[in-house]
Amino acid sequence: MKISFILKISMMLIALAGVLYAIRALNTGDVADKISDPQSALGLLIGSDYRPYNWCPEKTTKVDIFAKDGTILKTLEAPADISAVCEIMMGAFSSEGIEEGSYQKVLAAHGIAESEIVILEWVAGKPVFRVKGMPFSSPMLSKALDRLAVP
């Protein structure tokens, strides 16, 4: 036998072993947890349910945070804080038990023009939000709101 034939066969066997190892590694629970995590880059690469979404106007100057009674609690003007609440990971959710009237205004993003205001509503206690009538879930935004001390 030629040496090149033996090299080809050995390379194919090594590749087969690599594929089998990768399949076993992807079937572990640890990878499944990383894929379903909205903060994970692995989930974006492999195809999780969460997708990046920016709900604010293109050039947001400030974001108002509202209390349950409708008064403004805090105004975010730092670019890092605006980015934390505007650039989020959104995903699907089950709408069971969520009524139309349960949404409350929680954030308002102001663009450069005075008429450029986008309102974000949420269901208190759940990671369910709505912008312009489109509901979605976002655990990442829930964590950001908890960090900013929204009641």
Side-chain angles (χ1 to χ4, degrees):
M1 285 190 186
K2 287 189 170 184
I3 191 86
S4 64
F5 179 71
I6 293 172
L7 277 173
K8 288 179 185 176
I9 296 295
S10 62
M11 290 297 287
M12 287 182 164
L13 289 174
I14 291 171
L16 178 64
V19 167
L20 293 175
Y21 177 76
I23 289 172
R24 290 185 85 190
L26 288 174
N27 284 334
T28 63
D30 188 36
V31 173
D33 291 340
K34 288 181 182 176
I35 289 173
S36 64
D37 183 15
Q39 306 268 0
S40 171
L42 182 64
L44 283 177
L45 291 174
I46 294 180
S48 69
D49 291 339
Y50 292 96
R51 298 285 177 242
Y53 178 62
N54 188 345
W55 63 272
C56 295
E58 188 175 332
K59 294 186 180 183
T60 304
T61 57
K62 67 178 181 175
V63 176
D64 294 328
I65 301 175
F66 293 93
K68 289 184 181 182
D69 61 355
T71 60
I72 296 176
L73 283 177
K74 189 188 283 188
T75 300
L76 305 175
E77 294 180 348
D81 291 337
I82 291 173
S83 176
V85 295
C86 286
E87 298 169 4
I88 59 170
M89 298 297 286
M90 65 175 269
F93 69 99
S94 174
S95 61
E96 287 184 29
I98 298 175
E99 298 176 14
E100 184 70 26
S102 61
Y103 286 97
Q104 301 171 349
K105 179 168 65 169
V106 69
L107 296 173
H110 300 268
I112 292 176
E114 286 292 322
S115 62
E116 210 176 3
I117 298 174
V118 179
I119 305 293
L120 181 118
E121 302 168 311
W122 80 319
V123 177
K126 297 184 181 180
V128 178
F129 300 90
R130 179 172 70 178
V131 173
K132 298 179 184 176
M134 181 186 77
F136 59 89
S137 72
S138 180
M140 179 182 171
L141 184 56
S142 293
K143 289 177 187 177
L145 290 175
D146 288 343
R147 181 180 56 83
L148 294 169
V150 172

